[in-house]
Every structure is written in C-alpha cells, then in structure tokens.
Amino acid sequence: MKHVALGVNVDHVATVREARGGKEPDPVWAATLAQLGGADGITVHLREDRRHIQDHDVRRLKDVVQVKLNLEMSVAPDIVRAALSVRPDQATLVPERRQELTTEGGLDVVRGAVRIGRAVGALKKRNIAASLFVEPLKKQVEHAARMGAAAVELNTGRYANAPYGSRRAQEELKTLKEAADLAAGLGLKVYAGHGLNYINVREVAAIPEIEELNIGHSIVSRALFVGLSQAVREMVQMIQTADRVLMRDE
Ligand code: PXP
C-alpha cells in the first residue's frame, strides 16, 4: 500500500479567530494538534485580503511545524515576496479573486504563463518546491510541466461537487485519473485537493499516482465535535486504507 501524505489546511481555524479579531483559536496550536494526529503537512493560504491567515501566522508556523509547510498563494508580487522571505517547504500557486468564498477553479497556466513562470522561477531559486493548482485538463497539466513546476495539485472540486456515487462523480473521477496519469508521465509529483471529505476521499486517495491530499474544511468542521487530532487521525486512517476498502466493496 502506497503512503498518501495528508496536508491539513488550518485556514478556517484563523477564520474563527478573525470573526472576533482576537488571539483564539490559534492556527499554530491547530498545526501542532494536526501533527499529533498524524498530518504529514500543514497548509495555509495567505490571501491577498488577509481574511484568515496573517503574515505573522506564517512566520510562527515556519518555526513550529516539523512536517512539510505548504503555503498556498497567488502570484501577486507582495505575496511572492512574503513567501520568499518565510521560505516554506512548498508553495502552491492558486488563482485568487477577492469576492470568492474559497478558491474557485484551478490556475490558467496557459494564459497566466508569464506571471506564473516568473513566480515558479523565483521560488525555485530559494529552494521552495513549486506546485501548481490546476484543473485536471491535459492542456493545463502539460503547461505546468513545461513551466518547471515540481508538482501539480489537481482540483477535485468538480468531483466533490457531484453527488457522491453519481454518474457525474464517476466521470469526474475518470478525468482526475487521466490527468494524474499524464502528470506523473511528465515527471510531475501529483497532489489533489478541494472539497474532499470523509465520504468522498477514498476514491481519490486510491488513484495510484496521487502522493498528497490537501484537506481543510471537512477536517476543521469535524474537529469542532471530536477535536482536531482525532479528526486528523480519522482522515489519515481513511486515506491509508482507501484502496483496501474500495477493493473489498467492489
Ligand atoms: N487545495 C487548494 C489549492 C485550496 O485552495 C484549498 C482551499 O483552501 C484546499 C486544497 C482545501 O480545500 P477544502 O478546504 O475544501 O478541503
């Protein structure tokens, strides 16, 4: 059984903090508890409007996190500067619109080639692995490879939005499998994320080429009831047993 790494996104711990503008709950505490629960990575998104994670959170996480620190970010110059200064292990480039509730759709690596290429180059110079969050489309994956990215994170949003077990979900899963196969063939590491939860994660975790999943909202939501370490432990267990359980159910 391959090991699929789990990156836990703790943005929404900061969302609750920002609702009151104080110090709690602290996303750095959350990162510590997620590590105790077995997270292989901690992910945060430093958004241009700083609606949840703040610059000081990223600096403190850099000191505290002992697993992979993955910074999701746009290619806006001040955000790229912040990343180069903090030096996370990995930077995931995502598109960003201010009005959106969450990241909506992958990067357009074809249209944004110049700005994205510039950001990838700057990150690489600082030994920060660059991952590009893209739709599971041939053109996007091929361009990501040409751009010198280390990895692609395939957007699982369309799969997650389709009713679980529906024909549409099956089709989206097939699209993800084809993109994962193409990306791995081009020498990219293959990650996935967005909208994954305790119901729909197994099918994605079982895709052979996928090495890492980044999951936030469902884990933080469950943590309200069972605690964060336990919520992470349960997700780790689901991911690590995904192919065995799916084979048994076939
Ligand atoms: N991957 C990327 C690139 C994202 O932007 C997000 C949302 O911040 C996630 C994964 C996690 O998505 P969710 O919170 O739906 O699990």
Side-chain angles (χ1 to χ4, degrees), residues 58-100:
V58 186
R59 286 195 296 273
R60 288 168 62 231
L61 286 165
K62 169 74 181 177
D63 284 342
V64 167
V65 169
Q66 294 180 19
V67 290
K68 183 199 264 191
L69 179 62
N70 174 34
L71 183 66
E72 284 177 8
M73 51 182 272
S74 73
V75 295
D78 72 308
I79 299 284
V80 175
R81 269 195 299 279
L84 296 178
S85 141
V86 176
R87 296 179 75 173
D89 302 293
Q90 176 174 299
T92 302
L93 301 184
V94 299
E96 194 172 308
R97 281 189 290 120
R98 279 177 196 248
Q99 300 312 320
E100 67 191 359

Side-chain angles (χ1 to χ4, degrees), residues 9 11-12 45 72 92 94 102-103 133 153 193-196 214-218:
N9 182 315
D11 287 352
H12 295 308
H45 186 171
E72 284 177 8
T92 302
V94 299
T102 178
T103 311
F133 180 61
E153 179 175 332
H194 211 74
L196 296 177
N214 284 298
I215 308 180
H217 192 267
S218 61

Side-chain angles (χ1 to χ4, degrees), residues 45 48 72-76 91-97 100 103-117 119-120 123 130-145 147 149 151-156 193-194:
H45 186 171
E48 290 169 34
E72 284 177 8
M73 51 182 272
S74 73
V75 295
T92 302
L93 301 184
V94 299
E96 194 172 308
R97 281 189 290 120
E100 67 191 359
T103 311
E104 293 166 2
L107 279 174
D108 188 338
V109 189
V110 182
R111 285 179 59 188
V114 174
R115 293 176 75 206
I116 296 167
V120 169
L123 292 164
S131 174
L132 305 183
F133 180 61
V134 295
E135 293 300 319
L137 298 173
K138 186 167 183 278
K139 198 164 66 166
Q140 297 295 334
V141 171
E142 285 175 348
H143 258 74
M147 217 149 266
V152 280
E153 179 175 332
L154 301 175
N155 183 4
T156 51
H194 211 74

